[in-house]
Amino acid sequence: MKSQILTHEFPPLIYGDAQILILGSFPSVDSRQAGFYYMHKHNRFWQVLSGLFNIDLVHMTITEKCETLKELKIALSDVIDNCEIKGSADMSIRNVSVTDIRELMQVSSISKIFLNGRKAEKLFNEYFPDIVGIATYLPSTSPANAKFTLKDLLSEWQILKIYHDSLETNNHKYNES
């Protein structure tokens, strides 16, 4: 397969009241074709979020996924804005330009970033050293990360749910006072 120079073709899923940002590396071929995040049929992202929040995101339309993430105050984006890549392989990525993560934070209420996979973590740490303190690495939900079962991913990603629930608890206490 030949490398292609590609630009991220769909916008970040960001809301003014979003408090959590999940960053991947760059969309897969299937995601690029669908125009939305984590659309490869074997990527376990939607299964993981479904398990964490007890909501069936897997069978939702893209519009329903967006509405549910908005309710959960979760935003989605990728670290890479454009790059050279072969198919969907993170290992092949070269000549990277990154998304302006600071701008996403300015138009939202992001207080925590979760990095979906090592490539996202590596690039985030390289290009955003001033904000790495609010970021947490999570194992990739990609089918290429076969050493992690769905059960393993749910266990590792539980930290996102714990953080989300702590925000809900704090917001509830704040609204009561």
Side-chain angles (χ1 to χ4, degrees):
M1 179 173 280
K2 188 175 180 182
S3 287
Q4 296 178 288
I5 298 171
L6 298 173
T7 298
H8 205 296
E9 296 179 12
F10 48 91
L13 183 66
I14 190 86
Y15 307 101
D17 62 346
Q19 297 179 327
I20 294 171
L21 174 61
I22 301 173
L23 289 173
S25 55
F26 193 74
S28 69
V29 171
D30 290 345
S31 291
R32 295 192 299 263
Q33 289 172 348
F36 196 63
Y37 298 91
Y38 306 106
M39 297 306 285
H40 185 285
K41 66 181 178 182
H42 296 297
N43 191 304
R44 293 152 307 163
F45 180 80
W46 297 111
Q47 288 177 287
V48 168
L49 288 189
S50 293
L52 293 177
F53 293 100
N54 199 26
I55 301 169
D56 184 8
L57 285 150
V58 174
H59 297 101
M60 288 184 183
T61 65
I62 290 173
T63 300
E64 291 168 334
K65 285 175 165 91
C66 292
E67 290 168 357
T68 301
L69 290 174
K70 185 178 191 320
E71 288 173 20
L72 293 170
K73 299 183 178 178
I74 295 175
L76 300 178
S77 190
D78 288 310
V79 177
I80 300 170
D81 183 53
N82 61 66
C83 65
E84 185 176 340
I85 187 170
K86 290 181 184 176
S88 301
D90 275 4
M91 296 181 314
S92 73
I93 292 174
R94 294 182 295 171
N95 303 319
V96 169
S97 293
V98 295
T99 303
D100 189 346
I101 304 302
R102 289 179 199 87
E103 181 181 323
L104 296 180
M105 294 179 70
Q106 289 173 357
V107 299
S108 67
S109 301
I110 301 295
S111 58
K112 185 71 174 168
I113 297 172
F114 290 94
L115 303 165
N116 187 354
R118 289 286 180 210
K119 189 67 163 191
E121 177 193 39
K122 178 184 179 295
L123 292 169
F124 185 84
N125 290 346
E126 179 180 343
Y127 287 95
F128 303 99
D130 56 317
I131 55 176
V132 295
I134 67 164
T136 297
Y137 161 79
L138 295 171
S140 175
T141 58
S142 166
N145 185 16
K147 74 177 185 175
F148 277 83
T149 65
L150 179 58
K151 183 178 177 183
D152 295 335
L153 289 171
L154 283 165
S155 176
E156 294 288 328
W157 279 65
Q158 192 65 36
I159 191 168
L160 184 150
K161 177 75 164 91
I162 292 166
Y163 186 80
H164 178 272
D165 290 351
S166 76
L167 290 173
E168 291 297 308
T169 300
N170 290 337
N171 288 340
H172 183 68
K173 286 180 185 174
Y174 177 76
N175 291 334
E176 286 183 344
S177 17

